PDB file of all heavy atoms in Angstrom:
ATOM      1  N   ILE D  57      58.245  81.969  73.375  1.00  0.00           N
ATOM      2  CA  ILE D  57      59.255  81.714  72.357  1.00  0.00           C
ATOM      3  C   ILE D  57      59.251  80.224  72.040  1.00  0.00           C
ATOM      4  O   ILE D  57      59.437  79.391  72.937  1.00  0.00           O
ATOM      5  CB  ILE D  57      60.662  82.148  72.835  1.00  0.00           C
ATOM      6  CG1 ILE D  57      60.636  83.580  73.368  1.00  0.00           C
ATOM      7  CG2 ILE D  57      61.668  82.001  71.704  1.00  0.00           C
ATOM      8  CD1 ILE D  57      60.206  84.620  72.359  1.00  0.00           C
ATOM      9  N   PRO D  58      59.033  79.843  70.774  1.00  0.00           N
ATOM     10  CA  PRO D  58      58.957  78.413  70.438  1.00  0.00           C
ATOM     11  C   PRO D  58      60.306  77.713  70.578  1.00  0.00           C
ATOM     12  O   PRO D  58      61.367  78.326  70.410  1.00  0.00           O
ATOM     13  CB  PRO D  58      58.493  78.419  68.982  1.00  0.00           C
ATOM     14  CG  PRO D  58      58.902  79.750  68.442  1.00  0.00           C
ATOM     15  CD  PRO D  58      58.807  80.703  69.593  1.00  0.00           C
ATOM     16  N   VAL D  59      60.258  76.430  70.891  1.00  0.00           N
ATOM     17  CA  VAL D  59      61.450  75.577  70.990  1.00  0.00           C
ATOM     18  C   VAL D  59      61.360  74.534  69.881  1.00  0.00           C
ATOM     19  O   VAL D  59      60.400  73.768  69.821  1.00  0.00           O
ATOM     20  CB  VAL D  59      61.533  74.881  72.360  1.00  0.00           C
ATOM     21  CG1 VAL D  59      62.801  74.028  72.439  1.00  0.00           C
ATOM     22  CG2 VAL D  59      61.508  75.904  73.489  1.00  0.00           C
ATOM     23  N   TYR D  89      64.111  79.059  70.108  1.00  0.00           N
ATOM     24  CA  TYR D  89      65.163  78.198  70.647  1.00  0.00           C
ATOM     25  C   TYR D  89      65.349  77.014  69.695  1.00  0.00           C
ATOM     26  O   TYR D  89      64.396  76.557  69.056  1.00  0.00           O
ATOM     27  CB  TYR D  89      64.766  77.613  72.002  1.00  0.00           C
ATOM     28  CG  TYR D  89      64.542  78.555  73.144  1.00  0.00           C
ATOM     29  CD1 TYR D  89      63.278  79.053  73.408  1.00  0.00           C
ATOM     30  CD2 TYR D  89      65.565  78.889  74.015  1.00  0.00           C
ATOM     31  CE1 TYR D  89      63.029  79.881  74.500  1.00  0.00           C
ATOM     32  CE2 TYR D  89      65.347  79.713  75.111  1.00  0.00           C
ATOM     33  CZ  TYR D  89      64.073  80.208  75.351  1.00  0.00           C
ATOM     34  OH  TYR D  89      63.839  81.021  76.440  1.00  0.00           O
ATOM     35  N   ILE D  90      66.581  76.496  69.634  1.00  0.00           N
ATOM     36  CA  ILE D  90      66.813  75.209  68.987  1.00  0.00           C
ATOM     37  C   ILE D  90      67.557  74.305  69.968  1.00  0.00           C
ATOM     38  O   ILE D  90      68.426  74.755  70.717  1.00  0.00           O
ATOM     39  CB  ILE D  90      67.594  75.322  67.659  1.00  0.00           C
ATOM     40  CG1 ILE D  90      68.906  76.116  67.843  1.00  0.00           C
ATOM     41  CG2 ILE D  90      66.733  75.964  66.587  1.00  0.00           C
ATOM     42  CD1 ILE D  90      69.769  76.138  66.584  1.00  0.00           C
ATOM     43  N   GLU D  91      67.173  73.034  69.976  1.00  0.00           N
ATOM     44  CA  GLU D  91      67.820  72.050  70.836  1.00  0.00           C
ATOM     45  C   GLU D  91      68.318  70.882  69.989  1.00  0.00           C
ATOM     46  O   GLU D  91      68.006  70.786  68.809  1.00  0.00           O
ATOM     47  CB  GLU D  91      66.850  71.559  71.914  1.00  0.00           C
ATOM     48  CG  GLU D  91      65.612  70.878  71.383  1.00  0.00           C
ATOM     49  CD  GLU D  91      64.645  70.486  72.473  1.00  0.00           C
ATOM     50  OE1 GLU D  91      64.958  70.716  73.663  1.00  0.00           O
ATOM     51  OE2 GLU D  91      63.569  69.940  72.149  1.00  0.00           O
ATOM     52  N   LEU D 282      74.268  81.667  72.722  1.00  0.00           N
ATOM     53  CA  LEU D 282      74.484  80.744  73.832  1.00  0.00           C
ATOM     54  C   LEU D 282      74.389  81.562  75.116  1.00  0.00           C
ATOM     55  O   LEU D 282      75.239  82.418  75.388  1.00  0.00           O
ATOM     56  CB  LEU D 282      75.856  80.082  73.705  1.00  0.00           C
ATOM     57  CG  LEU D 282      76.325  79.230  74.887  1.00  0.00           C
ATOM     58  CD1 LEU D 282      75.366  78.075  75.144  1.00  0.00           C
ATOM     59  CD2 LEU D 282      77.746  78.732  74.655  1.00  0.00           C
ATOM     60  N   GLN D 283      73.323  81.324  75.893  1.00  0.00           N
ATOM     61  CA  GLN D 283      73.183  82.012  77.175  1.00  0.00           C
ATOM     62  C   GLN D 283      74.039  81.259  78.190  1.00  0.00           C
ATOM     63  O   GLN D 283      73.702  80.143  78.595  1.00  0.00           O
ATOM     64  CB  GLN D 283      71.714  82.062  77.587  1.00  0.00           C
ATOM     65  CG  GLN D 283      70.866  82.827  76.570  1.00  0.00           C
ATOM     66  CD  GLN D 283      69.495  83.189  77.103  1.00  0.00           C
ATOM     67  OE1 GLN D 283      69.344  84.148  77.856  1.00  0.00           O
ATOM     68  NE2 GLN D 283      68.481  82.433  76.705  1.00  0.00           N
ATOM     69  N   SER D 285      75.063  81.800  81.304  1.00  0.00           N
ATOM     70  CA  SER D 285      74.839  81.805  82.744  1.00  0.00           C
ATOM     71  C   SER D 285      73.339  81.657  83.000  1.00  0.00           C
ATOM     72  O   SER D 285      72.544  81.663  82.062  1.00  0.00           O
ATOM     73  CB  SER D 285      75.385  83.096  83.387  1.00  0.00           C
ATOM     74  OG  SER D 285      74.758  84.241  82.842  1.00  0.00           O
ATOM     75  N   HIS D 286      72.967  81.539  84.254  1.00  0.00           N
ATOM     76  CA  HIS D 286      71.578  81.214  84.597  1.00  0.00           C
ATOM     77  C   HIS D 286      70.654  82.426  84.551  1.00  0.00           C
ATOM     78  O   HIS D 286      69.439  82.285  84.696  1.00  0.00           O
ATOM     79  CB  HIS D 286      71.535  80.614  86.003  1.00  0.00           C
ATOM     80  CG  HIS D 286      71.907  81.606  87.073  1.00  0.00           C
ATOM     81  ND1 HIS D 286      73.226  81.893  87.393  1.00  0.00           N
ATOM     82  CD2 HIS D 286      71.153  82.388  87.893  1.00  0.00           C
ATOM     83  CE1 HIS D 286      73.262  82.803  88.352  1.00  0.00           C
ATOM     84  NE2 HIS D 286      72.022  83.117  88.676  1.00  0.00           N
ATOM     85  N   CYS D 302      62.932  85.399  77.449  1.00  0.00           N
ATOM     86  CA  CYS D 302      63.608  84.331  76.722  1.00  0.00           C
ATOM     87  C   CYS D 302      64.650  83.751  77.684  1.00  0.00           C
ATOM     88  O   CYS D 302      65.854  83.941  77.518  1.00  0.00           O
ATOM     89  CB  CYS D 302      64.250  84.900  75.455  1.00  0.00           C
ATOM     90  SG  CYS D 302      64.775  83.673  74.258  1.00  0.00           S
ATOM     91  N   ALA D 303      64.157  83.081  78.709  1.00  0.00           N
ATOM     92  CA  ALA D 303      65.007  82.595  79.794  1.00  0.00           C
ATOM     93  C   ALA D 303      65.967  81.526  79.297  1.00  0.00           C
ATOM     94  O   ALA D 303      65.676  80.810  78.334  1.00  0.00           O
ATOM     95  CB  ALA D 303      64.136  82.036  80.910  1.00  0.00           C
ATOM     96  N   PRO D 304      67.133  81.381  79.946  1.00  0.00           N
ATOM     97  CA  PRO D 304      68.068  80.322  79.549  1.00  0.00           C
ATOM     98  C   PRO D 304      67.446  78.936  79.696  1.00  0.00           C
ATOM     99  O   PRO D 304      66.803  78.636  80.705  1.00  0.00           O
ATOM    100  CB  PRO D 304      69.234  80.497  80.528  1.00  0.00           C
ATOM    101  CG  PRO D 304      69.138  81.907  81.005  1.00  0.00           C
ATOM    102  CD  PRO D 304      67.676  82.223  81.024  1.00  0.00           C
ATOM    103  N   ILE D 305      67.607  78.101  78.667  1.00  0.00           N
ATOM    104  CA  ILE D 305      67.187  76.701  78.706  1.00  0.00           C
ATOM    105  C   ILE D 305      68.429  75.864  78.403  1.00  0.00           C
ATOM    106  O   ILE D 305      69.005  75.982  77.324  1.00  0.00           O
ATOM    107  CB  ILE D 305      66.092  76.396  77.671  1.00  0.00           C
ATOM    108  CG1 ILE D 305      64.841  77.244  77.936  1.00  0.00           C
ATOM    109  CG2 ILE D 305      65.734  74.914  77.683  1.00  0.00           C
ATOM    110  CD1 ILE D 305      63.733  77.027  76.907  1.00  0.00           C
ATOM    111  N   PRO D 306      68.889  75.054  79.336  1.00  0.00           N
ATOM    112  CA  PRO D 306      70.099  74.243  79.099  1.00  0.00           C
ATOM    113  C   PRO D 306      69.967  73.417  77.829  1.00  0.00           C
ATOM    114  O   PRO D 306      68.898  72.868  77.517  1.00  0.00           O
ATOM    115  CB  PRO D 306      70.165  73.352  80.341  1.00  0.00           C
ATOM    116  CG  PRO D 306      69.455  74.134  81.404  1.00  0.00           C
ATOM    117  CD  PRO D 306      68.342  74.851  80.699  1.00  0.00           C
ATOM    118  N   GLY D 307      71.077  73.347  77.079  1.00  0.00           N
ATOM    119  CA  GLY D 307      71.098  72.529  75.867  1.00  0.00           C
ATOM    120  C   GLY D 307      70.506  73.203  74.648  1.00  0.00           C
ATOM    121  O   GLY D 307      70.310  72.538  73.626  1.00  0.00           O
ATOM    122  N   THR D 308      70.226  74.505  74.735  1.00  0.00           N
ATOM    123  CA  THR D 308      69.633  75.206  73.592  1.00  0.00           C
ATOM    124  C   THR D 308      70.484  76.401  73.182  1.00  0.00           C
ATOM    125  O   THR D 308      71.319  76.905  73.937  1.00  0.00           O
ATOM    126  CB  THR D 308      68.217  75.735  73.910  1.00  0.00           C
ATOM    127  OG1 THR D 308      68.301  76.795  74.882  1.00  0.00           O
ATOM    128  CG2 THR D 308      67.321  74.631  74.423  1.00  0.00           C
ATOM    129  N   LEU D 309      70.240  76.856  71.962  1.00  0.00           N
ATOM    130  CA  LEU D 309      70.685  78.154  71.485  1.00  0.00           C
ATOM    131  C   LEU D 309      69.437  78.960  71.136  1.00  0.00           C
ATOM    132  O   LEU D 309      68.423  78.403  70.718  1.00  0.00           O
ATOM    133  CB  LEU D 309      71.562  78.033  70.234  1.00  0.00           C
ATOM    134  CG  LEU D 309      72.876  77.259  70.360  1.00  0.00           C
ATOM    135  CD1 LEU D 309      73.543  77.150  68.988  1.00  0.00           C
ATOM    136  CD2 LEU D 309      73.818  77.934  71.355  1.00  0.00           C
ATOM    137  N   VAL D 310      69.520  80.269  71.308  1.00  0.00           N
ATOM    138  CA  VAL D 310      68.448  81.152  70.879  1.00  0.00           C
ATOM    139  C   VAL D 310      68.794  81.664  69.482  1.00  0.00           C
ATOM    140  O   VAL D 310      69.898  82.163  69.256  1.00  0.00           O
ATOM    141  CB  VAL D 310      68.280  82.338  71.836  1.00  0.00           C
ATOM    142  CG1 VAL D 310      67.190  83.283  71.326  1.00  0.00           C
ATOM    143  CG2 VAL D 310      67.935  81.844  73.239  1.00  0.00           C
TER     144      VAL D 310
END
Side-chain angles (χ1 to χ4, degrees):
I57 309 300
V59 181
Y89 297 92
I90 53 175
E91 61 184 358
L282 172 60
Q283 299 194 79
S285 60
H286 67 278
C302 194
I305 299 178
T308 68
L309 298 175
V310 177

